[in-house]
Amino acid sequence: MGPVSVLPTPQSLSTWEGDLAKMTHLQAGLSPDTIEKARLELNENPDILHQDIQQVRDMIITRPDIGFLRTDDAFILRFLRARKFHQADAFRLLAQYFQYRQLNLDMFKNFKADDPGIKRALIDGFPGVLENRDHYGRKILLLFAANWDQSRNSFTDILRAILLSLEVLIEDPELQINGFILIIDWSNFSFKQASKLTPSILKLAIEGLQDSFPARFGGVHFVNQPWYIHALYTLIKPFLKDKTRKRIFLHGNNLNSLHQLIHPEFLPSEFGGTLPPYDMGTWARTLLGPDYSDENDYTHTSYNAMHVKHTCSNLERECSPKPMKRSQSVVEAGTLKHEEKGENENTQPLLALD
């Protein structure tokens, strides 16, 4: 019997080189630090990336009830990253992604930035997206709840605008790995506005964001939340996964706990950060391009102002709503406060309702 050759054949070498080129392409643009982070935190192994992707793709035949409209390598990879390369979990998320769209067809008709409903929500700052990432490389999304003009934007259109924004952002492989942070400012959010957040639409949002989208959320931060937002949290808590509950932080008006998790140099002045106040039109201009217009000045009337309007007589000037642009937050800079030392002995930053 002659010696056994251990050299690769030309055919196997060609296949190996092809796979290597494909994997290099899938990780192209990632910094060495991010590649290492993906390896350590997400179990991403470039040597078997193609096999991981193919294993998920092979599971598609088990769900003939779902139309998988996109199954290319780059698309499947984001689901693997979102589920730390557990193939079964990644496939389950992929199936839920398309099933959610099948069950909510109206939400995804004309699913683009120039759709009238989505465009209005974007112009009103739903969502806000900060240009720079935080110290962990995460993208920071902002929601100023009081800017929800319910006569102008439905909750569904706001959710559509958020989902569309995430679709655009998740194309960036760095964000597939590093993830997102969401900050919701509840300043001036009235009880009447909160009453429109019904269980059915909250469930729709949770299913769309938690259960059906391949994004890694490192934290959801509430600031200036009133008591009825706590009540809403109790309402939706059964629909939240344990991991999600542990990543919800309620800061009230305490900047210290917020800044221990997100450094001030990455935050606008509304949150006590060193950046300028957030311009609500920033992200809308990015998505809409030449189609963006700030429209005309409009009158922002809070529900509280509407409630007391009939009691105003000599105080008409004080009661009159102030004109503002839609690219302006209703939240004044510095509305949050730093707690003085000794004001709160517990400096634990994790204020999760869990």
Side-chain angles (χ1 to χ4, degrees):
M1 181 176 178
V4 178
S5 173
V6 294
L7 295 175
T9 65
Q11 183 178 3
S12 65
L13 184 62
S14 175
T15 301
W16 179 81
E17 288 175 341
D19 285 346
L20 180 62
K22 186 182 294 184
M23 293 312 101
T24 304
H25 169 70
L26 287 173
Q27 292 191 319
L30 293 176
S31 68
D33 287 344
T34 304
I35 291 175
E36 181 66 4
K37 181 177 183 177
R39 185 183 72 83
L40 293 175
E41 295 186 13
L42 307 184
N43 306 306
E44 182 167 329
N45 183 349
D47 296 332
I48 58 171
L49 210 50
H50 180 67
Q51 293 95 308
D52 287 333
I53 291 170
Q54 191 57 45
Q55 284 185 33
V56 173
R57 189 183 285 116
D58 289 343
M59 298 179 193
I60 288 175
I61 61 171
T62 66
R63 292 298 303 271
D65 56 312
I66 296 176
F68 293 86
L69 304 180
R70 185 178 169 187
T71 60
D72 57 276
D73 287 355
F75 188 70
I76 291 177
L77 179 56
R78 66 185 63 171
F79 290 87
L80 280 162
R81 285 170 170 162
R83 290 297 180 263
K84 297 187 175 182
F85 278 78
H86 297 293
Q87 290 94 343
D89 291 344
F91 173 71
R92 190 175 300 110
L93 180 61
L94 177 68
Q96 288 170 335
Y97 174 90
F98 285 114
Q99 186 175 43
Y100 182 78
R101 280 147 182 75
Q102 284 182 196
L103 295 174
N104 301 285
L105 288 175
D106 288 344
M107 282 182 60
F108 297 96
K109 286 180 181 176
N110 199 36
F111 189 56
K112 51 187 180 179
D114 62 359
D115 171 83
I118 293 177
K119 182 177 180 179
R120 281 194 303 270
L122 289 170
I123 289 174
D124 287 6
F126 296 104
V129 180
L130 296 185
E131 182 178 354
N132 296 322
R133 302 170 188 183
D134 77 349
H135 51 295
Y136 292 118
R138 301 173 297 190
K139 202 70 169 174
I140 301 175
L141 278 61
L142 307 175
L143 293 176
F144 293 93
N147 281 8
W148 180 20
D149 181 346
Q150 295 173 344
S151 67
R152 174 178 162 86
N153 292 312
S154 70
F155 181 88
T156 302
D157 281 338
I158 289 175
L159 178 58
R160 293 171 72 218
I162 293 170
L163 288 171
L164 178 65
S165 298
L166 286 171
E167 290 282 3
V168 173
L169 292 166
I170 205 66
E171 290 289 332
D172 184 346
E174 290 270 344
L175 294 181
Q176 295 172 19
I177 294 166
N178 292 324
F180 300 87
I181 291 291
L182 176 61
I183 305 177
I184 307 177
D185 189 345
W186 297 98
S187 301
N188 303 318
F189 189 71
S190 71
F191 184 85
K192 185 170 183 179
Q193 284 175 298
S195 69
K196 302 297 183 182
L197 298 174
T198 62
S200 60
I201 63 174
L202 290 172
K203 186 171 183 287
L204 184 70
I206 292 167
E207 290 173 349
L209 295 169
Q210 172 189 258
D211 302 326
S212 310
F213 196 84
R216 304 183 68 214
F217 283 96
V220 178
H221 300 267
F222 288 9
V223 297
N224 289 326
Q225 72 278 358
W227 65 267
Y228 38 87
I229 295 304
H230 286 262
L232 275 176
Y233 177 83
T234 302
L235 187 68
I236 67 173
K237 191 172 181 179
F239 301 111
L240 300 177
K241 297 175 181 176
D242 287 342
K243 182 184 291 186
T244 302
R245 287 201 296 267
K246 291 175 182 176
R247 291 176 180 174
I248 295 178
F249 305 95
L250 279 78
H251 301 281
N253 62 358
N254 177 16
L255 281 173
N256 289 335
S257 62
L258 178 66
H259 290 170
Q260 288 182 54
L261 298 173
I262 309 174
H263 299 169
E265 58 264 35
F266 303 109
L267 294 171
S269 60
E270 291 93 332
F271 304 102
T274 59
L275 299 177
Y278 182 71
D279 177 356
M280 290 293 169
T282 300
W283 181 240
R285 283 190 288 271
T286 300
L287 287 191
L288 293 167
D291 291 333
Y292 173 83
S293 65
D294 198 22
E295 302 184 357
N296 299 318
D297 285 358
Y298 82 110
T299 299
H300 179 88
T301 308
S302 70
Y303 281 94
N304 288 337
M306 293 170 66
H307 291 162
V308 301
K309 189 173 182 180
H310 67 279
T311 66
C312 297
S313 54
N314 297 331
L315 299 178
E316 184 176 356
R317 180 175 300 176
E318 287 78 0
C319 292
S320 297
K322 298 177 180 180
M324 62 185 293
K325 286 193 178 289
R326 292 198 178 275
S327 59
Q328 177 184 347
S329 169
V330 299
V331 181
E332 297 292 337
T335 52
L336 300 176
K337 71 175 184 178
H338 288 280
E339 280 194 356
E340 297 297 331
K341 273 192 174 180
E343 200 173 71
N344 186 354
E345 293 298 325
N346 182 10
T347 58
Q348 172 67 18
L350 302 182
L351 303 179
L353 284 180
D354 191 33

